[in-house]
Amino acid sequence: EIVLTQSPATLSLSPGERATLSCRASQSVSSYLAWYQQKPGQAPRILIYDTSNRATGIPARFSGSGSGTDFTLTISSLEPEDFAVYYCQQRAAWPLTFGPGTKVDIK
Amino acid sequence: QVQLQESGPGLVKPSETLSLTCTVSGGSVSSGSYYWSWFRQPPGKRLEYIGYIYNSGTMYCNPPLKSRVTISVDTSKNQFSLKLSSVTAADTAVYYCARDYGGVTTWGQGTLVTVSS
């Protein structure tokens, strides 16, 4: 199966700052990489699918880039509601797999 | 707007079978375009894919779970179900049902299942 790693494990930032999260795949996933946000006690919420496509209702401050094995989620200016855990997920091959997550917390 | 809701026992004894149902509203499980999926998340761990049912019959399961998992659909009730046999404490997790289409996954709210005697 395709293994995803994420860095950093924790990102401590202040509201208004820029967040840059990374995801690396053990083999190419082409552009089939998604990003999710998860808050405690809630289901994951899809932010970005297929590398750079924002899901319905997702603010423009969220953007995704990359290809092959290296991907980035950027939050241009953190809002208070953005402090959460972010997971990447690939759908290039079964089984779908997820990264271990990056926690974005308040500095 | 499709909505999904998991239901089933919150406590299952070791060696027994975990059974969960996902009720779909705002969409049809009979639609051939969607993958109706199950995921789980053990406490403090990453999400894990369990499997899907597609086109009311084609099923895929994550290989480590394949011998213990059955996913089925009941079109008359607009539901799909998960059965996981011979459970152990390692199967304790929040279980999510979801609909996948074109890379976009819509999730249920999740239900915690604890395996304990």
Side-chain angles (χ1 to χ4, degrees):
Chain A
E1 71 178 38
I2 296 176
V3 177
L4 300 179
T5 56
Q6 292 184 242
S7 60
T10 303
L11 195 54
S12 296
L13 295 168
S14 300
E17 289 192 293
R18 182 183 189 91
T20 303
L21 289 68
S22 295
C23 177
R24 175 165 288 178
S26 60
Q27 63 191 77
S28 176
V29 298
S30 185
S31 63
Y32 299 120
L33 194 287
W35 291 94
Y36 290 85
Q37 178 193 70
Q38 189 176 36
K39 297 180 179 178
Q42 296 186 15
R45 170 196 183 200
I46 189 163
L47 302 173
I48 302 286
Y49 65 97
D50 292 350
T51 298
S52 59
N53 298 288
R54 273 191 302 277
T56 302
I58 301 303
R61 65 180 180 272
F62 292 93
S63 63
S65 63
S67 67
T69 60
D70 290 288
F71 299 86
T72 300
L73 173 70
T74 301
I75 310 171
S76 60
S77 178
L78 284 164
E79 297 287 340
E81 62 268 27
D82 298 337
F83 293 92
V85 178
Y86 293 82
Y87 294 96
C88 57
Q89 177 232 316
Q90 65 81 23
R91 69 178 187 102
W94 301 102
L96 307 184
T97 51
F98 293 83
T102 290
K103 183 178 183 180
V104 179
D105 65 15
I106 300 176
K107 188 173 180 181
Chain B
Q1 179 86 358
V2 70
Q3 292 185 312
L4 302 95
Q5 178 68 60
E6 305 87 353
S7 60
L11 180 64
V12 181
K13 290 182 169 55
S15 79
E16 295 189 344
T17 296
L18 177 161
S19 296
L20 295 174
T21 297
C22 183
T23 300
V24 179
S25 57
S28 172
V29 295
S30 301
S31 171
S33 303
Y34 301 108
Y35 293 82
W36 302 98
S37 299
W38 289 95
F39 298 81
R40 69 181 183 179
Q41 187 171 32
K45 295 188 177 181
R46 75 177 76 184
L47 291 148
E48 179 183 20
Y49 190 65
I50 298 173
Y52 68 73
I53 189 161
Y54 175 75
N55 206 19
S56 298
T58 302
M59 192 178 77
Y60 167 87
C61 294
N62 198 339
L65 300 170
K66 189 175 181 180
S67 63
R68 300 195 290 132
V69 167
T70 302
I71 300 173
S72 60
V73 66
D74 185 338
T75 56
S76 67
K77 295 181 179 179
N78 213 33
Q79 296 174 334
F80 62 106
S81 299
L82 169 71
K83 292 188 186 299
L84 178 65
S85 64
S86 305
V87 298
T88 69
D91 296 310
T92 293
V94 176
Y95 285 75
Y96 297 97
C97 62
R99 185 189 77 173
D100 294 285
Y101 178 70
V104 178
T105 303
T106 303
W107 299 70
Q109 66 182 33
T111 187
L112 174 63
V113 179
T114 301
V115 178
S116 175
S117 55

